[in-house]
Amino acid sequence: MADPAQGAKRNGITYADAGVDIDAGNALVRLIAPMAKATRRSGADSDLGGFGGLFDLKAAGFTDPILVAANDGVGTKLRLAIDTGILDTVGIDLVAMCVNDLIVQGAEPLFFLDYFATGHLDVEAAAQVVSGIAEGCKQSGCALIGGETAEMPGMYQGDDFDLAGFSVGAAERGSLLPRNDMAPGDVILGMSSSGLHSNGFSLVRRLIADAGAKLEAPAPFETEAGTLGEALLTPTRLYVKPLLPSIKSGHIKALAHITGGGFSENIPRVLPDALAADIDFDAWDVPPVFNWLQQLGGMDDAEMRRTFNCGIGMIAVASAGADAEEAIASLNDLGVPTRQIGVIASA
């Protein structure tokens, strides 16, 4: 009988023969290191490659901080990115879905880590994805301090990959949102979305398939939107930097990120049981992409509002008068179209 050890030695099998290319992973780290370095901020100045990312809260200016953590993905929007080959925007979505949840609680995002899993590591494609993650971090003022690239043959087919993100933010003790002084008569402000953001894409893909629409064809709902694929992959709006001044000035009492579940499920999460949101759905023009999807699916308004953001990606609650007016002015000045869309009422 042959000696198993001798047989293994004669075969000379390597990890690469099993489908995992360590050299490709190292090449990716070298390629993305400058991207991560470009996201450095006070409190984060270590390089990629350590066993853990470091962050110095004191150097970031906090004295008595409460940490807030969030993790998320971008769902089946990834399928459209893979099918179209447009890979440099879903990283922005990944960051946005995490940091927008942090700012809702009044926390400033500090750092971000990503998880990229694939069956076969395409270094160029992965670098495009990470470039979007780095861009999202820069736009939201948080540092990309680490991540994990997992090459798992047999788990993913072809060019498929999956993404997950994790972010930590901080707020000084006593300044977290929502505040406990919301009352009937407070006004609800709506901040415009950039499009579909990263929710409802399983339905979007079903509607496109049923209609026979082609991702490479011109977008049928907007003449300047490019192809249908490009329009649907418009990255999620980042609300962090535009909101921080209004939060720090005390003008905002509560925030709600309009993601999965739409208006009907996300707004009640930040309201006391005794209060309700009275939304005027005629207060803004619904972007054409939502009208197009509604017509394709024959959906009623209620189904649209519990599935999609319908043009409002974030809502804020503020006292009527000066607080609301100053918050609206600040957000508009910082590039986020904002208007009053409702009031707080007794439940």
Side-chain angles (χ1 to χ4, degrees), residues 97-134:
M97 295 304 287
C98 293
V99 300
N100 284 345
D101 279 352
L102 295 180
I103 197 67
V104 160
Q105 295 183 261
E108 176 185 349
L110 302 176
F111 59 83
F112 188 89
L113 299 100
D114 67 276
Y115 174 79
F116 180 98
T118 184
H120 170 70
L121 181 58
D122 181 327
V123 174
E124 182 179 347
Q128 290 182 52
V129 173
V130 177
S131 73
I133 294 172

Side-chain angles (χ1 to χ4, degrees), residues 3 13 73 75 88 91 127 183 197 211 239 244 284 298 328 331 335:
D3 184 342
I13 193 167
D88 59 346
H197 286 185
Y239 295 98
L244 280 173
W284 72 94
I328 290 172
L331 287 161

Side-chain angles (χ1 to χ4, degrees), residues 210-221:
D210 288 351
K214 302 299 183 184
L215 294 174
E216 64 274 16
F221 45 82

Side-chain angles (χ1 to χ4, degrees), residues 203-229:
L203 176 56
V204 170
R205 292 172 48 245
R206 167 70 182 272
L207 294 174
I208 290 172
D210 288 351
K214 302 299 183 184
L215 294 174
E216 64 274 16
F221 45 82
E222 223 169 340
T223 56
E224 298 180 1
T227 67
L228 175 59

Side-chain angles (χ1 to χ4, degrees), residues 13 23 34-35 62 71 78 113 122 136 148 152 155 162 170 176 181 195 197 240 269 273 300 320 333:
I13 193 167
D23 291 335
M35 303 177 194
F62 290 91
N71 71 304
L78 277 181
L113 299 100
D122 181 327
E148 165 70 1
M152 300 190 291
M155 290 290 291
D162 199 9
L176 290 171
D181 60 343
H197 286 185
V240 172
R269 293 167 65 181
D273 291 341
D300 60 27
D333 287 345

